[in-house]
Coordinates of all heavy atoms in Angstrom, one line a residue:
N302 N -11.5 -21.3 13.7 CA -11.4 -21.1 12.3 C -10.0 -20.9 11.9 O -9.7 -20.4 10.7 CB -12.2 -19.8 11.9 CG -11.7 -18.5 12.4 OD1 -11.1 -18.4 13.5 ND2 -11.9 -17.5 11.7
V303 N -9.0 -21.2 12.7 CA -7.6 -21.0 12.4 C -6.7 -22.3 12.7 O -6.8 -22.9 13.7 CB -7.0 -19.9 13.3 CG1 -5.5 -19.7 13.0 CG2 -7.7 -18.5 13.1
E304 N -6.1 -22.7 11.6 CA -5.1 -23.8 11.7 C -3.7 -23.3 11.5 O -3.5 -22.4 10.7 CB -5.4 -24.9 10.6 CG -4.5 -26.1 10.6 CD -4.9 -27.0 9.5 OE1 -5.8 -26.8 8.7 OE2 -4.1 -28.0 9.4
I305 N -2.8 -23.8 12.3 CA -1.4 -23.3 12.3 C -0.5 -24.5 11.8 O -0.5 -25.6 12.3 CB -1.0 -22.8 13.6 CG1 -1.8 -21.6 14.0 CG2 0.5 -22.4 13.6 CD1 -1.6 -21.2 15.5
Q306 N 0.3 -24.2 10.8 CA 1.3 -25.1 10.2 C 2.7 -24.6 10.5 O 3.0 -23.5 10.0 CB 1.0 -25.3 8.7 CG 2.1 -26.1 8.0 CD 1.9 -27.6 8.2 OE1 0.9 -28.1 8.2 NE2 3.1 -28.3 8.4
G307 N 3.5 -25.4 11.2 CA 4.9 -25.0 11.5 C 5.7 -24.9 10.2 O 5.8 -26.0 9.5
V308 N 6.3 -23.8 9.8 CA 7.2 -23.8 8.7 C 8.4 -22.9 9.0 O 8.2 -21.7 9.4 CB 6.5 -23.2 7.4 CG1 7.4 -23.2 6.2 CG2 5.3 -24.0 7.1
N309 N 9.6 -23.4 8.9 CA 10.8 -22.6 9.2 C 11.7 -22.5 8.1 O 12.9 -22.2 8.3 CB 11.5 -23.1 10.5 CG 12.0 -24.5 10.3 OD1 11.8 -25.1 9.2 ND2 12.6 -25.1 11.3
I310 N 11.2 -22.7 6.9 CA 12.0 -22.6 5.7 C 12.4 -21.1 5.5 O 11.5 -20.2 5.4 CB 11.2 -23.2 4.5 CG1 11.0 -24.6 4.7 CG2 12.0 -22.9 3.2 CD1 10.1 -25.2 3.7
P311 N 13.7 -20.8 5.2 CA 14.1 -19.4 5.0 C 13.5 -18.8 3.7 O 13.3 -19.5 2.8 CB 15.7 -19.5 4.8 CG 16.0 -20.8 5.5 CD 14.8 -21.7 5.2
I312 N 13.2 -17.5 3.8 CA 12.6 -16.9 2.6 C 13.7 -16.7 1.6 O 14.9 -16.6 1.8 CB 12.0 -15.5 3.0 CG1 13.1 -14.5 3.5 CG2 10.9 -15.6 4.0 CD1 12.6 -13.0 3.7
F313 N 13.3 -16.6 0.3 CA 14.2 -16.5 -0.8 C 15.3 -17.5 -0.8 O 16.4 -17.3 -1.1 CB 14.7 -15.1 -0.9 CG 13.8 -14.0 -1.2 CD1 13.4 -13.1 -0.1 CD2 13.3 -13.8 -2.4 CE1 12.5 -12.1 -0.4 CE2 12.2 -12.9 -2.7 CZ 11.9 -12.0 -1.7
S314 N 15.0 -18.8 -0.6 CA 15.9 -19.9 -0.5 C 15.4 -20.9 -1.6 O 14.3 -21.0 -2.0 CB 15.9 -20.5 0.8 OG 14.7 -21.1 1.2
I315 N 16.4 -21.8 -2.0 CA 16.1 -22.9 -2.8 C 15.1 -23.8 -2.3 O 14.1 -24.3 -2.8 CB 17.4 -23.6 -3.2 CG1 18.4 -22.8 -4.0 CG2 17.0 -24.9 -4.0 CD1 17.9 -22.2 -5.3
K316 N 15.2 -24.0 -0.9 CA 14.3 -24.9 -0.2 C 12.9 -24.3 -0.2 O 12.0 -25.1 -0.4 CB 14.8 -25.0 1.2 CG 14.0 -26.1 2.0 CD 14.6 -26.3 3.3 CE 13.9 -27.5 4.2 NZ 14.4 -27.7 5.5
E317 N 12.8 -23.0 -0.2 CA 11.5 -22.3 -0.3 C 10.8 -22.7 -1.6 O 9.6 -23.0 -1.7 CB 11.6 -20.8 -0.1 CG 10.3 -20.1 -0.2 CD 10.5 -18.6 -0.2 OE1 11.2 -18.0 -1.1 OE2 10.0 -17.9 0.8
L318 N 11.6 -22.6 -2.7 CA 11.0 -22.8 -4.0 C 10.5 -24.2 -4.2 O 9.4 -24.3 -4.8 CB 12.1 -22.4 -5.0 CG 12.4 -21.0 -5.4 CD1 13.5 -20.9 -6.3 CD2 11.1 -20.3 -5.9
F319 N 11.2 -25.2 -3.7 CA 10.9 -26.5 -4.1 C 10.4 -27.5 -2.9 O 9.9 -28.6 -3.2 CB 12.1 -27.2 -4.7 CG 12.6 -26.5 -5.9 CD1 13.8 -25.7 -5.9 CD2 11.9 -26.6 -7.1 CE1 14.2 -25.1 -7.0 CE2 12.3 -25.9 -8.2 CZ 13.4 -25.2 -8.2
C320 N 10.5 -27.0 -1.6 CA 10.2 -27.9 -0.5 C 9.1 -27.3 0.4 O 9.0 -27.7 1.5 CB 11.4 -28.2 0.3 SG 12.8 -29.0 -0.6
F321 N 8.4 -26.3 -0.1 CA 7.3 -25.7 0.7 C 6.1 -26.7 0.8 O 5.9 -27.5 -0.1 CB 6.8 -24.4 0.1 CG 6.5 -23.3 1.0 CD1 7.4 -22.7 1.8 CD2 5.2 -22.8 1.1 CE1 7.1 -21.7 2.7 CE2 4.8 -21.9 1.9 CZ 5.8 -21.3 2.8
P322 N 5.4 -26.6 1.9 CA 4.2 -27.6 2.1 C 3.0 -27.2 1.2 O 2.0 -26.9 1.6 CB 3.9 -27.4 3.5 CG 4.3 -26.0 3.9 CD 5.5 -25.8 3.1
C323 N 3.2 -27.3 -0.1 CA 2.3 -26.9 -1.1 C 1.0 -27.7 -1.1 O -0.1 -27.2 -1.5 CB 2.9 -26.8 -2.5 SG 4.2 -25.5 -2.6
S324 N 1.1 -29.1 -0.9 CA -0.1 -29.9 -0.9 C -1.0 -29.5 0.2 O -2.3 -29.4 0.0 CB 0.3 -31.4 -0.6 OG 1.0 -31.5 0.7
K325 N -0.5 -29.0 1.3 CA -1.4 -28.5 2.4 C -2.0 -27.1 2.0 O -3.2 -26.9 2.2 CB -0.5 -28.2 3.7 CG -1.3 -27.8 4.9 CD -2.0 -28.9 5.6 CE -2.6 -28.5 6.9 NZ -3.3 -29.6 7.5
I326 N -1.2 -26.3 1.3 CA -1.7 -25.0 0.8 C -2.8 -25.2 -0.2 O -3.8 -24.5 -0.2 CB -0.5 -24.1 0.4 CG1 0.4 -23.7 1.5 CG2 -1.1 -22.9 -0.4 CD1 1.7 -23.2 1.0
N327 N -2.5 -26.2 -1.1 CA -3.5 -26.4 -2.2 C -4.8 -27.0 -1.8 O -5.8 -27.1 -2.6 CB -2.8 -27.3 -3.3 CG -1.7 -26.7 -4.0 OD1 -1.7 -25.4 -4.1 ND2 -0.7 -27.4 -4.5
S328 N -4.9 -27.4 -0.5 CA -6.2 -27.8 0.0 C -7.0 -26.6 0.4 O -8.2 -26.7 0.8 CB -6.0 -28.8 1.2 OG -5.5 -28.1 2.3
C329 N -6.5 -25.4 0.4 CA -7.2 -24.1 0.7 C -7.7 -23.6 -0.6 O -7.5 -24.2 -1.7 CB -6.2 -23.2 1.4 SG -5.5 -23.8 2.9
D330 N -8.4 -22.4 -0.5 CA -9.0 -21.8 -1.7 C -8.1 -20.8 -2.2 O -8.1 -20.6 -3.5 CB -10.4 -21.2 -1.3 CG -11.3 -22.2 -0.8 OD1 -11.7 -23.1 -1.7 OD2 -11.7 -22.3 0.4
V331 N -7.4 -20.0 -1.4 CA -6.4 -19.0 -1.9 C -5.2 -19.0 -1.1 O -5.2 -19.4 0.1 CB -7.1 -17.6 -2.0 CG1 -8.3 -17.6 -2.9 CG2 -7.4 -17.1 -0.6
F332 N -4.1 -18.5 -1.6 CA -2.8 -18.3 -0.9 C -2.5 -16.8 -0.9 O -2.4 -16.1 -1.9 CB -1.7 -19.1 -1.6 CG -0.4 -18.9 -1.0 CD1 -0.1 -19.3 0.4 CD2 0.7 -18.4 -1.7 CE1 1.1 -19.2 0.9 CE2 1.9 -18.2 -1.1 CZ 2.1 -18.6 0.2
L333 N -2.2 -16.3 0.3 CA -1.9 -14.8 0.5 C -0.5 -14.8 1.0 O -0.2 -15.3 2.1 CB -2.9 -14.2 1.4 CG -2.7 -12.7 1.8 CD1 -2.9 -11.8 0.5 CD2 -3.6 -12.2 2.9
T334 N 0.5 -14.1 0.3 CA 1.7 -13.9 0.8 C 2.1 -12.5 1.0 O 1.8 -11.6 0.2 CB 2.8 -14.6 -0.2 OG1 4.1 -14.3 0.3 CG2 2.6 -14.1 -1.6
P335 N 2.7 -12.0 2.1 CA 2.9 -10.6 2.4 C 4.2 -10.0 1.7 O 4.5 -8.9 1.8 CB 3.2 -10.7 3.9 CG 3.8 -12.0 4.2 CD 3.2 -12.9 3.2
N336 N 4.8 -10.9 0.9 CA 6.0 -10.5 0.1 C 5.8 -11.1 -1.3 O 4.9 -11.7 -1.7 CB 7.2 -10.9 0.8 CG 8.4 -10.0 0.5 OD1 8.3 -9.1 -0.3 ND2 9.6 -10.3 1.0
F337 N 6.9 -10.9 -2.1 CA 6.9 -11.4 -3.6 C 7.6 -12.7 -3.8 O 7.9 -13.0 -4.8 CB 7.3 -10.3 -4.5 CG 8.7 -9.7 -4.1 CD1 9.8 -10.3 -4.7 CD2 8.8 -8.6 -3.3 CE1 11.1 -9.7 -4.4 CE2 10.0 -8.0 -3.1 CZ 11.2 -8.7 -3.6
N338 N 8.0 -13.4 -2.7 CA 8.6 -14.7 -2.7 C 7.6 -15.7 -2.7 O 7.0 -16.0 -1.7 CB 9.7 -14.9 -1.6 CG 9.0 -14.6 -0.2 OD1 8.4 -13.5 0.0 ND2 9.2 -15.5 0.7
I339 N 7.4 -16.4 -3.9 CA 6.3 -17.3 -4.0 C 6.9 -18.7 -4.3 O 7.5 -18.9 -5.3 CB 5.3 -16.9 -5.2 CG1 4.7 -15.5 -4.8 CG2 4.2 -17.9 -5.3 CD1 3.9 -14.9 -6.0

Side-chain angles (χ1 to χ4, degrees):
N302 67 328
V303 178
E304 181 183 356
I305 298 170
Q306 172 77 41
V308 180
N309 61 2
I310 297 171
I312 62 171
F313 292 109
S314 65
I315 297 297
K316 191 174 181 182
E317 176 187 66
L318 282 175
F319 300 107
C320 302
F321 215 65
C323 292
S324 58
K325 184 81 172 178
I326 293 168
N327 289 332
S328 68
C329 300
D330 296 294
V331 298
F332 176 62
L333 179 66
T334 173
N336 206 1
F337 53 89
N338 51 311
I339 302 173

